[in-house]
């Protein structure tokens, strides 16, 4: 694209969305990778352009400013600010190099400044669109997706709220605790919080079997044999996996459903079965 846009052209190179790749790499990999991409693109642009120093700095600075400003891209406004940062950097380079140049007339200056502003805007918009596309194709869960999933009006969270309000409140409490724990150890707090919101969605299908949804003094498990009681408890994991598949939750969030339990026995039911068997573990 640079090979097409830069050689033998005067204004078009300034419309080129040079900050797109730095923004994407800063989000998907790290801010450092975004900065490295900006420098590499600046070097390539400077090599291709007749005014190599000017365009090289233009590409480098717009990419650097956008990559630094995008941060974790947790909100759509992050892309707006990244685009504005690229605009300011581009305008600054154009003014510094072209204003003292007697060969640049007022119209030419306006066209170059318009290109610099458009380049930043296009870079941010293109990065946003590509981020959504790459996330879907490669299974990468972006912060924007996580924020969307954390909204209380998500259909799966609404199902949990209506069917199992106790489990919904439990999930909110777990999400608050887990988010703080993740922040303390340097894990991804947003991913942890959203995963915790969905970890017990399987309880929405059989809410009456879980104590947080029961009326005090009415424990249905006291009326069931231990094997049936245990199977009802365990089923919320598989039910949750099926609900996650139905609602197309990203893999990173769906993994919280089976992974929030270990592989040990359901101790309440196991002890009840041992009592019924008079301590004979071979029967249980």
């Amino acid at each position: 694209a640079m090979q097409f846009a830069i050689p033998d052209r005067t204004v078009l190179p300034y419309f080129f969305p040079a900050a797109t790749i730095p923004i994407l790499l800063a989000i998907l990999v790290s801010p450092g990778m975004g900065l490295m991409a900006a420098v590499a693109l600046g070097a390539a642009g400077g090599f291709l352009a007749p005014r190599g120093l000017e365009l090289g700095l233009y590409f480098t600075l717009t990419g650097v400013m956008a990559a630094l400003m995008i941060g974790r891209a947790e909100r759509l406004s992050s892309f707006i600010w990244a685009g504005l940062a690229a605009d300011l950097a581009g305008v600054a380079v154009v003014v510094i190099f072209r204003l003292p140049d007697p060969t640049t007339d007022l119209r030419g200056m306006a066209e170059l400044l318009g290109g610099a502003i458009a380049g930043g805007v296009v870079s941010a918009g293109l990065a946003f669109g590509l981020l959504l596309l790459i996330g879907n194709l490669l299974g990468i869960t972006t912060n924007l997706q996580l924020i969307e999933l954390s909204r209380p009006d998500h259909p799966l969270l609404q199902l949990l709220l209506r069917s199992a309000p106790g489990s919904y409140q439990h999930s909110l409490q777990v999400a608050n605790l887990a988010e703080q724990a993740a922040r303390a150890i340097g894990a991804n707090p947003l991913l942890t919080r959203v995963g915790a919101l969905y970890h017990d969605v399987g309880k929405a299908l059989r809410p009456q079997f879980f104590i947080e949804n029961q009326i005090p003094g009415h424990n249905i498990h006291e009326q069931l044999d231990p094997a049936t009681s245990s199977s009802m408890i365990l089923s919320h994991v598989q039910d949750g996996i099926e609900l996650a598949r139905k609602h197309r939750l990203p893999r990173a969030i769906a993994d919280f459903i089976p992974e929030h339990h270990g592989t040990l026995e359901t101790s309440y039911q196991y002890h009840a079965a041992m009592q019924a068997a008079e301590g004979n573990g071979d029967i249980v």
Side-chain angles (χ1 to χ4, degrees), residues 222-256:
E222 295 175 355
Q223 306 167 24
L224 301 173
D225 66 272
T228 303
S229 174
S230 177
S231 67
M232 292 296 101
I233 294 293
L234 295 174
S235 66
H236 85 277
V237 173
Q238 188 59 42
D239 290 341
I241 293 171
E242 293 298 328
L243 285 171
R245 187 178 296 117
K246 177 182 177 182
H247 289 268
R248 298 182 179 180
L249 293 186
R251 177 65 182 271
I253 300 302
D255 283 346
F256 278 74

Side-chain angles (χ1 to χ4, degrees), residues 38 51 68 114 134 157 161 187 192 200 238 242 247 253-254 260 265:
R51 301 171 67 105
L68 290 175
I134 291 171
L157 292 180
L161 173 61
T192 306
D200 263 348
Q238 188 59 42
E242 293 298 328
H247 289 268
I253 300 302
H260 81 274
E265 73 273 357

Side-chain angles (χ1 to χ4, degrees), residues 22-281:
I23 291 174
L24 282 174
L25 291 179
I27 297 170
L28 296 174
V29 185
S30 69
M33 186 62 74
L35 299 183
M36 289 178 62
V39 173
L41 285 169
F47 176 77
L48 291 170
R51 301 171 67 105
L53 179 61
E54 178 184 344
L55 200 66
L57 282 175
Y58 177 85
F59 280 5
T60 299
L61 290 180
T62 54
V64 165
M65 291 299 293
L68 290 175
M69 188 61 67
I70 195 66
R72 290 180 174 267
E74 294 181 348
R75 291 176 173 81
L76 180 59
S77 60
S78 300
F79 289 88
I80 297 174
W81 288 112
L84 288 175
D87 285 343
L88 290 175
V91 167
V93 171
V94 169
V95 169
I96 290 171
F97 277 88
R98 296 293 181 143
L99 196 60
D101 189 348
T103 62
T104 304
D105 57 14
L106 187 60
R107 177 182 174 182
M109 190 71 173
E111 289 176 346
L112 294 176
L113 290 175
I117 295 172
V121 173
V122 172
S123 292
L126 190 58
F128 178 75
L130 287 174
L131 181 65
L132 297 179
L133 179 63
I134 291 171
N136 289 327
L137 290 178
L138 302 182
I140 299 172
T141 306
T142 64
N143 284 342
L144 289 173
Q145 285 177 287
L146 292 175
I147 291 170
E148 187 68 23
L149 288 168
S150 70
R151 290 171 51 126
D153 60 352
H154 189 280
L156 192 47
L157 292 180
Q158 283 292 300
L159 174 65
L160 184 63
L161 173 61
R162 292 193 303 268
S163 303
S167 297
Y168 179 81
Q169 292 301 322
H170 158 75
S171 297
L172 288 178
Q173 292 170 343
V174 171
N176 290 334
L177 291 168
E179 179 184 15
Q180 297 305 315
R183 201 178 299 278
I185 66 172
N188 186 332
L190 182 58
L191 174 65
T192 306
R193 177 177 183 82
V194 177
L197 289 175
Y198 288 90
H199 80 281
D200 263 348
V201 291
K203 293 181 177 180
L205 299 186
R206 297 180 180 88
Q208 71 275 17
F209 289 101
F210 302 94
I211 190 169
E212 65 267 23
N213 302 309
Q214 295 172 354
I215 299 172
H218 294 78
N219 188 348
I220 194 172
H221 292 281
E222 295 175 355
Q223 306 167 24
L224 301 173
D225 66 272
T228 303
S229 174
S230 177
S231 67
M232 292 296 101
I233 294 293
L234 295 174
S235 66
H236 85 277
V237 173
Q238 188 59 42
D239 290 341
I241 293 171
E242 293 298 328
L243 285 171
R245 187 178 296 117
K246 177 182 177 182
H247 289 268
R248 298 182 179 180
L249 293 186
R251 177 65 182 271
I253 300 302
D255 283 346
F256 278 74
I257 296 169
E259 291 176 4
H260 81 274
H261 279 298
T263 57
L264 303 179
E265 73 273 357
T266 52
S267 56
Y268 175 87
Q269 288 81 6
Y270 178 75
H271 291 305
M274 287 292 288
Q275 287 180 348
E278 298 181 347
N280 187 350

